[in-house]
Amino acid sequence: MMARHSILIVDDEDSVRRALRKWFEASGFDVDEAADGLTAVEKCRDGQYDIVTMDYEMPRMNGLDALHAIKKERPDLPIIVLTGYSDVGLEDDGGVDLVLYKPVGMRVLEDH
């Protein structure tokens, strides 16, 4: 039997986390959530995730700061930034694996 992949969904909007959770659970993932960047960093220290989706603008710690903190400890962990801000220049950041702009279709996310 194949091991299930695990994903951490990081977004401060409950509705976004719920939609992503539903999609990824239906796709066979074990899903965990965080509502801010600081919680995401803590969970990545304690949990074993195969991938992370990260909102850009969040309370307590923004997505880019959280991404960099996570990459210090887990440089090979793929992190997909999901943002509604198209002018932040995230594609040029060396720590960002992929940037997708909201609203993003679930099929687009799945393809990446």
Side-chain angles (χ1 to χ4, degrees):
M1 184 173 172
M2 285 182 74
R4 291 169 52 109
H5 291 289
S6 62
I7 187 168
L8 177 63
I9 298 168
V10 186
D11 201 294
D12 60 326
E13 292 190 36
D14 291 338
S15 60
V16 172
R17 289 194 318 271
R18 276 194 309 270
L20 290 172
R21 173 182 280 280
K22 185 176 179 179
W23 176 263
F24 281 110
E25 284 179 341
S27 297
F29 282 81
D30 289 327
V31 179
D32 196 4
E33 300 177 17
D36 61 71
L38 188 58
T39 303
V41 172
E42 293 166 358
K43 286 186 173 226
C44 282
R45 258 186 219 126
D46 298 336
Q48 295 299 314
Y49 304 106
D50 297 305
I51 191 166
V52 174
T53 66
M54 180 80 67
D55 187 19
Y56 177 73
E57 191 66 37
M58 294 181 291
R60 294 186 357 135
M61 179 184 279
N62 72 38
L64 194 57
D65 290 342
L67 180 146
H68 288 281
I70 292 167
K71 288 287 191 170
K72 280 184 183 177
E73 294 182 34
R74 303 234 2 240
D76 295 334
L77 178 64
I79 300 178
I80 299 172
V81 176
L82 303 176
T83 183
Y85 298 94
S86 61
D87 60 347
V88 293
L90 293 172
E91 293 88 354
D92 299 329
D93 186 292
V96 176
D97 294 296
L98 178 65
V99 179
L100 296 176
Y101 295 96
K102 295 177 183 176
V104 62
M106 293 301 186
R107 294 274 182 225
V108 171
L109 185 57
E110 185 178 68
D111 289 344
H112 288 87

PDB file of all heavy atoms in Angstrom, residues 35-50:
ATOM      1  N   ALA A  35      -3.394  28.942  10.480  1.00  0.00           N
ATOM      2  CA  ALA A  35      -4.068  30.196  10.139  1.00  0.00           C
ATOM      3  C   ALA A  35      -3.119  31.384  10.062  1.00  0.00           C
ATOM      4  O   ALA A  35      -3.555  32.491   9.783  1.00  0.00           O
ATOM      5  CB  ALA A  35      -5.181  30.477  11.148  1.00  0.00           C
ATOM      6  N   ASP A  36      -1.839  31.161  10.306  1.00  0.00           N
ATOM      7  CA  ASP A  36      -0.864  32.247  10.208  1.00  0.00           C
ATOM      8  C   ASP A  36       0.527  31.661  10.025  1.00  0.00           C
ATOM      9  O   ASP A  36       0.753  30.468  10.208  1.00  0.00           O
ATOM     10  CB  ASP A  36      -0.913  33.157  11.445  1.00  0.00           C
ATOM     11  CG  ASP A  36      -0.600  32.415  12.731  1.00  0.00           C
ATOM     12  OD1 ASP A  36       0.571  32.035  12.941  1.00  0.00           O
ATOM     13  OD2 ASP A  36      -1.522  32.207  13.544  1.00  0.00           O
ATOM     14  N   GLY A  37       1.452  32.534   9.646  1.00  0.00           N
ATOM     15  CA  GLY A  37       2.810  32.088   9.348  1.00  0.00           C
ATOM     16  C   GLY A  37       3.559  31.524  10.539  1.00  0.00           C
ATOM     17  O   GLY A  37       4.307  30.550  10.408  1.00  0.00           O
ATOM     18  N   LEU A  38       3.371  32.123  11.710  1.00  0.00           N
ATOM     19  CA  LEU A  38       4.079  31.647  12.895  1.00  0.00           C
ATOM     20  C   LEU A  38       3.666  30.221  13.250  1.00  0.00           C
ATOM     21  O   LEU A  38       4.516  29.369  13.544  1.00  0.00           O
ATOM     22  CB  LEU A  38       3.832  32.593  14.077  1.00  0.00           C
ATOM     23  CG  LEU A  38       4.645  32.335  15.325  1.00  0.00           C
ATOM     24  CD1 LEU A  38       6.139  32.393  15.044  1.00  0.00           C
ATOM     25  CD2 LEU A  38       4.275  33.346  16.403  1.00  0.00           C
ATOM     26  N   THR A  39       2.373  29.952  13.192  1.00  0.00           N
ATOM     27  CA  THR A  39       1.892  28.596  13.452  1.00  0.00           C
ATOM     28  C   THR A  39       2.432  27.623  12.410  1.00  0.00           C
ATOM     29  O   THR A  39       2.805  26.489  12.732  1.00  0.00           O
ATOM     30  CB  THR A  39       0.350  28.564  13.471  1.00  0.00           C
ATOM     31  OG1 THR A  39      -0.115  29.482  14.458  1.00  0.00           O
ATOM     32  CG2 THR A  39      -0.173  27.174  13.779  1.00  0.00           C
ATOM     33  N   ALA A  40       2.515  28.062  11.175  1.00  0.00           N
ATOM     34  CA  ALA A  40       3.062  27.205  10.115  1.00  0.00           C
ATOM     35  C   ALA A  40       4.505  26.815  10.401  1.00  0.00           C
ATOM     36  O   ALA A  40       4.884  25.652  10.240  1.00  0.00           O
ATOM     37  CB  ALA A  40       2.970  27.917   8.767  1.00  0.00           C
ATOM     38  N   VAL A  41       5.311  27.787  10.831  1.00  0.00           N
ATOM     39  CA  VAL A  41       6.714  27.500  11.153  1.00  0.00           C
ATOM     40  C   VAL A  41       6.786  26.473  12.277  1.00  0.00           C
ATOM     41  O   VAL A  41       7.547  25.503  12.201  1.00  0.00           O
ATOM     42  CB  VAL A  41       7.459  28.797  11.535  1.00  0.00           C
ATOM     43  CG1 VAL A  41       8.850  28.489  12.063  1.00  0.00           C
ATOM     44  CG2 VAL A  41       7.547  29.732  10.331  1.00  0.00           C
ATOM     45  N   GLU A  42       5.980  26.664  13.311  1.00  0.00           N
ATOM     46  CA  GLU A  42       5.973  25.719  14.434  1.00  0.00           C
ATOM     47  C   GLU A  42       5.551  24.322  13.992  1.00  0.00           C
ATOM     48  O   GLU A  42       6.158  23.325  14.382  1.00  0.00           O
ATOM     49  CB  GLU A  42       5.051  26.237  15.539  1.00  0.00           C
ATOM     50  CG  GLU A  42       5.572  27.495  16.203  1.00  0.00           C
ATOM     51  CD  GLU A  42       4.527  28.213  17.060  1.00  0.00           C
ATOM     52  OE1 GLU A  42       3.366  27.752  17.114  1.00  0.00           O
ATOM     53  OE2 GLU A  42       4.882  29.240  17.662  1.00  0.00           O
ATOM     54  N   LYS A  43       4.518  24.237  13.166  1.00  0.00           N
ATOM     55  CA  LYS A  43       4.035  22.927  12.704  1.00  0.00           C
ATOM     56  C   LYS A  43       5.050  22.244  11.801  1.00  0.00           C
ATOM     57  O   LYS A  43       5.183  21.020  11.844  1.00  0.00           O
ATOM     58  CB  LYS A  43       2.694  23.074  11.985  1.00  0.00           C
ATOM     59  CG  LYS A  43       1.544  23.329  12.926  1.00  0.00           C
ATOM     60  CD  LYS A  43       0.224  23.311  12.194  1.00  0.00           C
ATOM     61  CE  LYS A  43      -0.899  23.393  13.189  1.00  0.00           C
ATOM     62  NZ  LYS A  43      -1.954  22.435  12.932  1.00  0.00           N
ATOM     63  N   CYS A  44       5.753  23.008  11.000  1.00  0.00           N
ATOM     64  CA  CYS A  44       6.760  22.394  10.123  1.00  0.00           C
ATOM     65  C   CYS A  44       7.941  21.869  10.924  1.00  0.00           C
ATOM     66  O   CYS A  44       8.605  20.926  10.503  1.00  0.00           O
ATOM     67  CB  CYS A  44       7.218  23.387   9.053  1.00  0.00           C
ATOM     68  SG  CYS A  44       6.010  23.551   7.720  1.00  0.00           S
ATOM     69  N   ARG A  45       8.193  22.456  12.078  1.00  0.00           N
ATOM     70  CA  ARG A  45       9.229  21.938  12.967  1.00  0.00           C
ATOM     71  C   ARG A  45       8.821  20.586  13.525  1.00  0.00           C
ATOM     72  O   ARG A  45       9.636  19.686  13.662  1.00  0.00           O
ATOM     73  CB  ARG A  45       9.433  22.897  14.140  1.00  0.00           C
ATOM     74  CG  ARG A  45      10.617  23.745  13.999  1.00  0.00           C
ATOM     75  CD  ARG A  45      10.873  24.572  15.247  1.00  0.00           C
ATOM     76  NE  ARG A  45      11.316  25.858  14.762  1.00  0.00           N
ATOM     77  CZ  ARG A  45      10.790  27.015  15.077  1.00  0.00           C
ATOM     78  NH1 ARG A  45       9.812  27.092  15.937  1.00  0.00           N
ATOM     79  NH2 ARG A  45      11.260  28.115  14.573  1.00  0.00           N
ATOM     80  N   ASP A  46       7.541  20.469  13.883  1.00  0.00           N
ATOM     81  CA  ASP A  46       7.051  19.273  14.560  1.00  0.00           C
ATOM     82  C   ASP A  46       6.483  18.218  13.618  1.00  0.00           C
ATOM     83  O   ASP A  46       6.491  17.047  13.933  1.00  0.00           O
ATOM     84  CB  ASP A  46       5.954  19.654  15.569  1.00  0.00           C
ATOM     85  CG  ASP A  46       6.483  20.577  16.651  1.00  0.00           C
ATOM     86  OD1 ASP A  46       7.697  20.564  16.901  1.00  0.00           O
ATOM     87  OD2 ASP A  46       5.680  21.327  17.228  1.00  0.00           O
ATOM     88  N   GLY A  47       5.986  18.646  12.467  1.00  0.00           N
ATOM     89  CA  GLY A  47       5.309  17.718  11.566  1.00  0.00           C
ATOM     90  C   GLY A  47       6.173  17.333  10.393  1.00  0.00           C
ATOM     91  O   GLY A  47       7.184  17.949  10.096  1.00  0.00           O
ATOM     92  N   GLN A  48       5.751  16.298   9.747  1.00  0.00           N
ATOM     93  CA  GLN A  48       6.443  15.829   8.547  1.00  0.00           C
ATOM     94  C   GLN A  48       5.511  15.999   7.364  1.00  0.00           C
ATOM     95  O   GLN A  48       4.670  15.150   7.102  1.00  0.00           O
ATOM     96  CB  GLN A  48       6.864  14.364   8.710  1.00  0.00           C
ATOM     97  CG  GLN A  48       7.887  14.152   9.784  1.00  0.00           C
ATOM     98  CD  GLN A  48       9.176  14.913   9.500  1.00  0.00           C
ATOM     99  OE1 GLN A  48       9.693  14.900   8.397  1.00  0.00           O
ATOM    100  NE2 GLN A  48       9.690  15.598  10.504  1.00  0.00           N
ATOM    101  N   TYR A  49       5.649  17.105   6.684  1.00  0.00           N
ATOM    102  CA  TYR A  49       4.807  17.408   5.530  1.00  0.00           C
ATOM    103  C   TYR A  49       5.595  17.177   4.246  1.00  0.00           C
ATOM    104  O   TYR A  49       6.797  17.381   4.205  1.00  0.00           O
ATOM    105  CB  TYR A  49       4.312  18.855   5.586  1.00  0.00           C
ATOM    106  CG  TYR A  49       3.572  19.159   6.863  1.00  0.00           C
ATOM    107  CD1 TYR A  49       4.162  19.928   7.870  1.00  0.00           C
ATOM    108  CD2 TYR A  49       2.299  18.652   7.087  1.00  0.00           C
ATOM    109  CE1 TYR A  49       3.497  20.188   9.045  1.00  0.00           C
ATOM    110  CE2 TYR A  49       1.628  18.904   8.267  1.00  0.00           C
ATOM    111  CZ  TYR A  49       2.229  19.677   9.240  1.00  0.00           C
ATOM    112  OH  TYR A  49       1.570  19.927  10.418  1.00  0.00           O
ATOM    113  N   ASP A  50       4.864  16.797   3.210  1.00  0.00           N
ATOM    114  CA  ASP A  50       5.474  16.613   1.899  1.00  0.00           C
ATOM    115  C   ASP A  50       5.417  17.879   1.065  1.00  0.00           C
ATOM    116  O   ASP A  50       6.205  18.051   0.138  1.00  0.00           O
ATOM    117  CB  ASP A  50       4.761  15.481   1.147  1.00  0.00           C
ATOM    118  CG  ASP A  50       4.921  14.157   1.879  1.00  0.00           C
ATOM    119  OD1 ASP A  50       6.071  13.765   2.139  1.00  0.00           O
ATOM    120  OD2 ASP A  50       3.886  13.531   2.184  1.00  0.00           O
TER     121      ASP A  50
END
